[in-house]
Amino acid sequence: MNVRDLSYLVTCLKASAVNSIQNKVVILTGASEGIGRALALELAQLGCRLVITARNLARLESLATELEALGAEVVVEPGDISVQQDCQRIVATALAQFGHIDIVINNAGMTMWTRFDQLSNLDVLDDVMRVNYLGPAYLTHAALPHLKQSQGQIVVVASVAGLTGVPTRSGYSASKHAVMGFFDSLRIELADDNIAVTMLCPDFVLSEIHKRALDGEGKPLGQSPMQESKIMTAAQCAQQMLPAIIHRERQLITSTRGRLGRWLKLFAPQLIDKIARKAIQSGH
Ligand SMILES: NC(=O)c1ccc[n+]([C@@H]2O[C@H](COP(=O)([O-])OP(=O)(O)OC[C@H]3O[C@@H](n4cnc5c(N)ncnc54)[C@H](OP(=O)(O)O)[C@@H]3O)[C@@H](O)[C@H]2O)c1
């Protein structure tokens, strides 16, 4: 095969991937900011029909205007993912508008930034667990009968912090381990229903999450402790996630250190601890 044939083949494969996701009905949480917003823009360009949700209605409506300008069909349904009734309403809205659901992307999330021995407000642990673990479980439960009908897909934006411990993020890391354990279990339960479960594990990404991270008293930090010029943008992250979603892959880890860390954890776990400590100390 010559270079021209190869490039034709790549173009055909890309086109068929686009076709496979075109017109899919996608519920996307955490769409008002960061990675979710970037994913919405990518999915709109691929012709997905979107139900976008988060708590900030104004941000969602402004995004909807951008998505519609790209030619996408969009519904805005605000809600708090940690509230079961809100999750049921989001699913009902998707069905009322589009009649079925193909993909649920559980992206909404929050974090903390404090050592456990400096945590004075233990509600932080509850909040992080509710949003990062229970929220995806609630929404998925409400959507599950419809995903069975469509033989659809559940996507979860987890984190490399769901694969290994991270200092100053103990509660966050716990919530991401929880969500990964939950959906890895669900994948096995749902195998006969032909529902794909795709776990996406980003490393540091430039977004609002670092400024909004809760400190030891449960207040947002207000400014990002990250070296922002050295981490991937939300748009780059979304572009990396897209093929994994389109091809219904099992798992994506976005960084080399994250992928390497899987092996280090087995054979030299103290090394992955050092990498995690250094990443937090250096902010990238
Ligand atoms: N950025 C990173 O470095 C990084 C790394 C690994 C994994 N992740 C994961 O990526 C996902 C997206 O994070 P991001 O970095 O894009 O953060 P972000 O910019 O702070 O966006 C978080 C989104 O989640 C929504 N959200 C938060 N709490 C919610 C709630 N209770 N109910 C409904 N929506 C809620 C927010 O919208 P409202 O405030 O309008 O509700 C916002 O749209 C999260 O699951 C995060 O853990 C991020």
Side-chain angles (χ1 to χ4, degrees):
M1 187 184 286
N2 62 31
V3 174
R4 224 161 125 199
D5 292 342
L6 192 64
S7 103
Y8 177 70
L9 185 67
V10 170
T11 309
C12 289
L13 285 174
K14 276 189 184 161
S16 87
V18 169
N19 286 342
S20 73
I21 199 160
Q22 201 168 26
N23 289 322
K24 295 272 188 216
V25 174
V26 181
I27 297 181
L28 172 61
T29 73
S32 64
E33 307 279 2
I35 297 169
R37 190 173 197 288
L39 266 176
L41 289 162
E42 293 291 337
L43 293 168
Q45 290 176 73
L46 291 177
C48 290
R49 293 177 283 170
L50 293 165
V51 180
I52 53 172
T53 183
R55 291 162 303 175
N56 187 328
L57 178 60
R59 299 272 306 157
L60 289 175
E61 282 178 339
S62 129
L63 173 63
T65 307
E66 276 184 63
L67 299 173
E68 279 158 1
L70 293 169
E73 272 184 75
V74 188
V75 184
V76 170
E77 181 59 67
D80 182 334
I81 205 71
S82 65
V83 175
Q84 288 184 46
Q85 292 86 337
D86 286 16
C87 291
Q88 287 156 2
R89 201 186 57 247
I90 293 162
V91 167
T93 299
L95 292 172
Q97 182 71 23
F98 297 118
H100 73 281
I101 299 165
D102 295 300
I103 306 177
V104 172
I105 304 184
N106 291 291
N107 164 72
M110 62 176 296
T111 192
M112 59 183 284
W113 197 293
T114 183
R115 287 174 55 105
F116 183 60
D117 56 14
Q118 289 165 10
L119 183 66
S120 56
N121 181 354
L122 290 179
D123 288 350
V124 168
L125 298 181
D126 297 53
D127 291 351
V128 169
M129 198 58 96
R130 256 197 292 273
V131 175
N132 294 354
Y133 160 52
L134 291 175
Y138 294 158
L139 181 65
T140 301
H141 188 267
L144 204 48
H146 313 288
L147 291 172
K148 284 186 181 179
Q149 277 175 10
S150 64
Q151 302 197 341
Q153 182 179 14
I154 301 163
V155 178
V156 182
V157 181
S159 169
V160 288
L163 300 167
T164 196
V166 181
T168 72
R169 308 286 192 92
S170 52
Y172 177 75
S173 177
S175 72
K176 292 296 183 181
H177 276 76
V179 83
M180 291 195 71
F182 181 86
F183 283 97
D184 278 342
S185 307
L186 214 54
R187 180 187 296 112
I188 306 167
E189 288 185 15
L190 299 175
D192 291 342
D193 297 295
N194 196 25
I195 296 180
V197 176
T198 300
M199 304 299 300
L200 304 174
C201 302
D203 205 309
F204 288 139
V205 179
L206 186 54
S207 75
E208 296 304 304
I209 202 167
H210 310 292
K211 292 177 209 150
R212 300 167 114 198
L214 301 180
D215 66 13
E217 293 171 3
K219 296 196 201 94
L221 288 184
Q223 55 187 22
S224 172
M226 307 304 301
Q227 284 207 48
E228 299 202 328
S229 61
K230 295 198 172 164
I231 59 179
M232 143 185 319
T233 64
Q236 287 166 334
C237 181
Q239 279 154 18
Q240 213 177 320
M241 288 171 164
L242 223 46
I245 298 173
I246 291 171
H247 299 299
R248 292 164 66 99
E249 282 170 20
R250 181 187 177 93
Q251 182 167 290
L252 168 79
I253 301 173
T254 62
S255 64
T256 308
R257 71 178 168 193
R259 289 188 288 273
L260 188 67
R262 302 281 282 157
W263 298 102
L264 283 181
K265 200 163 184 204
L266 291 176
F267 300 114
Q270 68 284 7
L271 278 183
I272 188 68
D273 290 357
K274 273 190 190 156
I275 292 172
R277 183 194 294 270
K278 190 163 170 266
I280 291 297
Q281 282 169 349
S282 65
H284 66 91

